[in-house]
Amino acid sequence: MHSSARFLIEFGAIILALGLLGRFAARFQSSPIPLYLLAGLAFGEGGLLPLGTSEEFVAIGAEIGVILLLLMLGLEYSASDLVSNLKSQYTAGLVDAALNALPGAAMALLLGWGPVAAVVLAGVTWISSSGVIAKVLGDLGRLGNRETPVILSVLVLEDLSMAVYLPIITALLAGTGLAAGSLTLAVALGAAALVLLVAVRYGRHISRFVSSDDPEKLLLVVLGLTLLVAGLAQQLQVSAAVGAFLVGIALSGEAAEGAHSLLSPLRDLFAAVFFVFFGLHTDPASIPPVLLPALALAVVTAGTKIATGYWAARRAGISAKGRWRAGGTLVARGEFSIVIAGLAVTSGIEPSLGPLATAYVLILVIVGPLTARYTEPLATRLTGRRRDKTAVAADTGGTRESTAEEPYEVG
């Protein structure tokens, strides 16, 4: 009885604290992710109030949080949307991967962490935060801007790449051989291709089977199906998150809309628990030694994300202002960087990888909304000054550069 009461007190205090932190972040129109991570640091080993009896339950809640994050992500896109984006924007996805994954891999190798940690840290620096970016676009009133479809296309390609990337690192972290790892990847790719094919051809039938006018029945069927598929995927050593993502893709129409509205509160709750759980496994004393590498990595990859967005928007024919806005918006890292780092922490391949990822995400999830807001005005001011100097040089006999008039663009 005593342990049960202590569990309720501990877990209730965590949920209450998360709710208050979320309200505090909303007041300042910022993401609550940094505060959730800091809460985990405070409740973990080496923190102010280490947990006791509730840590095991928090671990299960964290796993459900990852599954719901990927399920909700899959619900955002239909199979046809994914296929269309792959055909039209795959070049931007390749540029995004090259510019943003390589710095993470290079940093891991420079720190002497080995090739497996390099692959993991490459994923941490590669994937932008869809949740933070979607909120920023809404807060800034840019959902109707011309550059927004380009931003979303890059995010869709990153999210879809998770279906390939997660099985790879799962096999690497498990220490399986080349044959077993190749089989795992083949199973994951085959499953993803099969689900996409079924979703394109029979998505309406699947959604009709799952759909229900009773919210309770819809919630139970979708949640049960997701957990079942996630468990089967994990049993095949693919990834529970990939299984959940594929379930989300397979649903469409009214079923997807209804499931999205019903599962959003659950997603937010368990996702918050996941961030706390990640913080629990990070000793606050381990962050200062990796703070400098995390800061250097944040500066470099903020620049590479801006370059990615600028290039993708330019390729789509967006004006210079829209290009800078696209680049600045993509800077934020968040939930999926922590998901990837969490797999590495659980496997125990490199003790410093978790603290570095925590510091890195804390920096960029705070800086990301700022770059989204101020990259374009700052770039416009700097380029305007350069043009003024060029014009002065031309008036005094220098060589003047020709500049095209920027088309007007709202936002």
Side-chain angles (χ1 to χ4, degrees):
M1 183 67 69
H2 177 70
S3 61
S4 176
R6 184 177 176 183
F7 163 77
L8 292 174
I9 292 172
E10 283 188 356
F11 194 66
I14 292 173
I15 299 301
L16 176 61
L18 293 178
L20 296 176
L21 290 173
R23 290 173 62 179
F24 180 79
R27 178 171 297 181
F28 293 94
Q29 294 186 343
S30 62
S31 170
I33 292 175
L35 299 180
Y36 294 158
L37 289 173
L38 292 174
L41 294 174
F43 287 120
E45 294 183 8
L48 300 175
L49 297 169
L51 293 179
T53 57
S54 61
E55 185 170 352
E56 184 177 353
F57 185 82
V58 171
I60 297 173
E63 190 167 355
I64 295 175
V66 175
I67 290 171
L68 290 178
L69 277 171
L70 271 294
L71 169 66
M72 298 296 285
L73 184 64
L75 290 173
E76 295 287 343
Y77 313 114
S78 68
S80 57
D81 291 336
L82 290 175
V83 173
S84 175
N85 275 287
L86 277 175
K87 290 180 178 179
S88 61
Q89 298 291 340
Y90 73 93
T91 308
L94 294 175
V95 171
D96 179 35
L99 289 181
N100 297 286
L102 290 178
M107 177 63 74
L109 295 176
L110 287 174
L111 293 173
W113 290 354
V116 176
V119 175
V120 173
L121 195 56
V124 171
T125 59
W126 173 18
I127 305 295
S128 297
S129 171
S130 300
V132 173
I133 290 172
K135 186 178 186 303
V136 167
L137 288 172
D139 291 342
L140 296 179
R142 295 181 181 174
L143 292 175
N145 279 24
R146 287 186 60 205
E147 75 274 4
T148 298
V150 176
I151 296 170
L152 296 178
S153 294
V154 172
L155 295 177
V156 169
L157 289 170
E158 288 182 352
D159 298 337
L160 185 59
S161 68
M162 294 277 285
V164 178
Y165 176 79
L166 286 177
I168 292 175
I169 62 169
T170 301
L172 291 174
L173 293 172
T176 57
L178 180 61
S182 300
L183 178 61
T184 299
L185 180 58
V187 170
L189 293 176
L194 179 62
V195 170
L196 286 174
L197 178 62
V198 171
V200 169
R201 293 190 176 183
Y202 307 106
R204 293 182 180 179
H205 301 288
I206 297 173
S207 298
R208 191 179 300 118
F209 171 76
V210 171
S211 183
S212 173
D213 294 331
D214 187 339
E216 178 184 350
K217 294 183 177 64
L218 178 62
L219 175 64
L220 291 174
V221 170
V222 174
L223 185 58
L225 177 64
T226 302
L227 294 176
L228 176 63
V229 172
L232 291 174
Q234 191 162 326
Q235 191 70 25
L236 294 172
Q237 295 184 346
V238 176
S239 172
V242 171
F245 180 64
L246 295 177
V247 171
I249 292 174
L251 299 179
S252 61
E254 293 182 1
E257 294 175 4
H260 191 283
S261 61
L262 289 172
L263 289 169
S264 290
L266 283 177
R267 185 269 316 270
D268 295 339
L269 169 62
F270 285 105
V273 171
F274 166 71
F275 291 120
V276 170
F277 177 74
F278 186 83
L280 289 175
H281 287 262
T282 303
D283 187 349
S286 64
I287 291 181
V290 297
L291 192 56
L292 190 59
L295 182 60
L297 200 56
V299 171
V300 171
T301 55
T304 54
K305 273 293 181 184
I306 292 174
T308 298
Y310 187 95
W311 183 88
R314 181 179 181 180
R315 183 170 175 266
I318 307 300
S319 71
K321 290 184 178 181
R323 298 170 201 167
W324 288 115
R325 287 195 294 267
T329 304
L330 286 170
V331 166
R333 308 312 200 270
E335 60 272 23
F336 297 115
S337 296
I338 295 298
V339 168
I340 294 166
L343 294 174
V345 169
T346 303
S347 68
I349 61 161
E350 173 53 53
S352 298
L353 199 153
L356 187 145
T358 301
Y360 174 79
V361 170
L362 282 171
I363 293 169
L364 287 186
V365 81
I366 294 171
V367 171
L370 299 178
T371 59
R373 187 184 297 267
Y374 297 113
T375 296
E376 181 264 317
L378 181 60
T380 300
R381 181 175 299 179
L382 293 176
T383 54
R385 288 179 180 177
R386 187 181 66 184
R387 289 176 180 178
D388 290 342
K389 291 179 180 179
T390 303
V392 170
D395 291 339
T396 57
T399 302
R400 181 171 183 171
E401 298 177 359
S402 63
T403 56
E405 184 71 19
E406 291 292 349
Y408 176 75
E409 186 169 2
V410 178

